[in-house]
């Protein structure tokens, strides 16, 4: 199994595991999907084999990667309800090194169906652990739906880290503390390996003083948990999904693309991920 995240165990031996990042915030419209798609793309372009799993019944990440609504079948619903995915569930994308499990039409029903299932919080984790087809990926990115229902919970139980996009707007920090409590509760009850990977300021607008205030508030409250990189508000970012492309492919030189590339590098660094063919100072 190709596991490229390295860290030291208590005995000092290097152990490895795949990095599973849930992009989560119970608020809608804060940049979760945009971040999931473009972070996954940035890590793939950096040379890591990446899988993006669209956990949102709205399927925006799938559309943003060029999978039309009528092509969505045998995706995340199947993964959650039937366990290990076959090769046909995992689709290649336009981006080299980036594969996708698309949201399917039935996924909206999964939230309800899971309620009566045994170990309902563990379906995704079990599916990921039991699938040889997934072993080739060193990073798995989970695009969560809004809300803290069973789909988000399954993502948090399967994840090793959470990336929290925070939109630079009024009330931005409201709701963040309940998300932090949820992450802590999931860590205690279901997934001791879960950590906050970082809080990402999104749709940052330098000309708007509110963005600066939100940034100050977030950095005062959460210190180093806030990524150094913030994502600027950039029209190219919002145009890209209608072309079925991540902004890194749609307009690689745009400020949004540059910022997501920098975010990928920051996460590789922070999480001690070893990129094949690159020598890093961390190992
Ligand atoms: P969520 O998944 O949290 O609901 P999205 O990623 O879908 O949020 O983003 C919400 C809207 O904001 C979308 O229309 C998206 O194109 C737009 N958007 C996200 N990030 C940016 C950005 N950096 N600049 C401009 N528009 C953005
Ligand atoms: Mg979304």
């Amino acid at each position: 199994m190709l596991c490229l995240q390295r860290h030291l165990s208590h005995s000092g031996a290097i152990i490895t595991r795949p990095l599973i990042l849930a992009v989560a915030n119970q608020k809608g419209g804060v940049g979760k999907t945009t971040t999931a798609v473009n972070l996954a793309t940035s890590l793939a372009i950096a040379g890591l084999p990446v899988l993006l799993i669209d956990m949102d019944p709205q399927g925006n990440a799938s559309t943003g990667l060029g999978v039309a609504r009528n092509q969505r079948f045998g995706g995340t619903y199947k993964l959650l309800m039937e366990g290990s995915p076959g090769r046909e569930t995992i689709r290649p994308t336009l981006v080299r090194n980036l594969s996708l499990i698309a949201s399917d039409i039935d996924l909206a029903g999964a939230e309800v169906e899971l309620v009566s299932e045994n170990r309902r919080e563990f379906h995704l984790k079990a599916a990921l652990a039991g699938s040889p087809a997934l072993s080739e990926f060193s990073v798995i990115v989970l695009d969560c739906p809004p809300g803290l229902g069973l789909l988000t919970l399954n993502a948090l139980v399967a994840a090793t880290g959470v990336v929290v996009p925070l939109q630079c707007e009024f009330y931005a920090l409201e709701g963040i503390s309940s998300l932090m409590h949820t992450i802590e509760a999931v860590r205690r009850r279901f997934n001791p390996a879960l950590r906050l990977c970082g809080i990402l300021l999104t749709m940052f607008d330098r000309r708007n003083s509110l963005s600066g205030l939100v940034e100050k508030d977030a950095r005062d409250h959460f210190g180093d948990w806030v990524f150094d990189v913030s994502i600027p508000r950039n029209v190219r970012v919002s145009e890209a999904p209608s072309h079925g492309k991540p902004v890194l492919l749609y307009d690689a030189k745009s400020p949004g693309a540059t910022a997501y590339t920098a975010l990928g590098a920051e996460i590789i660094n922070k999480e001690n991920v070893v990129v094949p063919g690159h020598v890093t100072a961390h190992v």
Side-chain angles (χ1 to χ4, degrees):
M1 182 169 182
L2 185 60
C3 302
L4 294 172
Q5 191 194 17
R6 296 190 181 185
H7 54 113
L8 292 178
S9 70
H10 291 304
S11 66
I14 286 178
I15 50 173
T16 57
R17 59 178 182 179
L19 187 61
I20 306 178
L21 295 176
V23 182
N25 184 330
Q26 72 272 37
K27 279 195 190 179
V30 297
K32 287 184 292 297
T33 299
T34 306
T35 297
V37 167
N38 290 297
L39 171 61
T41 302
S42 145
L43 295 171
I45 290 175
L48 294 162
V50 182
L51 174 67
L52 175 64
I53 304 183
D54 189 348
M55 298 289 295
D56 187 346
Q58 288 185 56
N60 294 341
S62 309
T63 319
L65 281 169
V67 179
R69 220 161 241 286
N70 61 5
Q71 294 167 6
R72 293 199 209 132
F73 43 83
T76 312
Y77 176 83
K78 194 163 185 253
L79 177 72
L80 282 169
M81 306 310 285
E82 291 173 22
S84 64
R87 295 241 160 233
E88 71 291 348
T89 311
I90 305 170
R91 303 164 188 247
T93 69
L94 279 174
V95 185
R96 196 166 152 254
N97 288 335
L98 176 61
S99 302
L100 169 74
I101 297 184
S103 161
D104 36 21
I105 319 280
D106 301 326
L107 188 57
E111 191 107 45
V112 178
E113 287 173 48
L114 279 169
V115 172
S116 54
E117 291 274 322
N118 241 343
R119 287 176 63 78
R120 57 195 176 184
E121 301 89 357
F122 288 89
H123 276 230
L124 180 64
K125 189 180 182 100
L128 297 185
S131 169
L134 296 178
S135 63
E136 70 201 63
F137 298 104
S138 46
V139 183
I140 299 177
V141 177
L142 308 170
D143 181 29
C144 295
L148 294 171
L150 272 172
L151 289 171
T152 299
L153 195 52
N154 263 268
L156 294 178
V157 170
T160 56
V162 192
V163 173
V164 179
L166 187 71
Q167 188 183 353
C168 292
E169 46 135 40
F170 201 53
Y171 297 132
L173 288 172
E174 246 180 44
I176 285 288
S177 60
S178 74
L179 179 60
M180 294 303 154
H181 282 128
T182 304
I183 293 171
E184 183 51 29
V186 171
R187 204 177 62 73
R188 262 187 283 112
R189 287 191 57 197
F190 303 117
N191 179 10
L194 185 66
R195 291 163 304 106
L196 177 64
C197 174
I199 295 171
L200 176 68
L201 300 171
T202 61
M203 296 181 236
F204 189 89
D205 185 350
R206 233 159 258 295
R207 291 159 307 176
N208 182 342
S209 59
L210 189 56
S211 279
L213 289 176
V214 172
E215 175 171 30
K216 184 177 179 321
D217 251 19
R219 294 198 190 276
D220 285 352
H221 263 83
F222 298 106
D224 285 348
W225 290 117
V226 183
F227 288 109
D228 294 341
V229 176
S230 45
I231 309 298
R233 183 176 281 285
N234 175 208
V235 69
R236 305 301 267 171
V237 172
S238 52
E239 285 169 7
S242 62
H243 297 266
K245 288 181 180 171
V247 71
L248 282 93
L249 258 57
Y250 176 64
D251 185 351
K253 294 208 168 77
S254 63
T258 311
Y260 276 113
T261 302
L263 176 67
E266 191 174 339
I267 288 181
I268 285 172
N269 209 1
K270 198 171 182 177
E271 299 287 330
N272 265 355
V273 180
V274 180
V275 181
H278 288 245
V279 178
T280 76
H282 296 275
V283 289

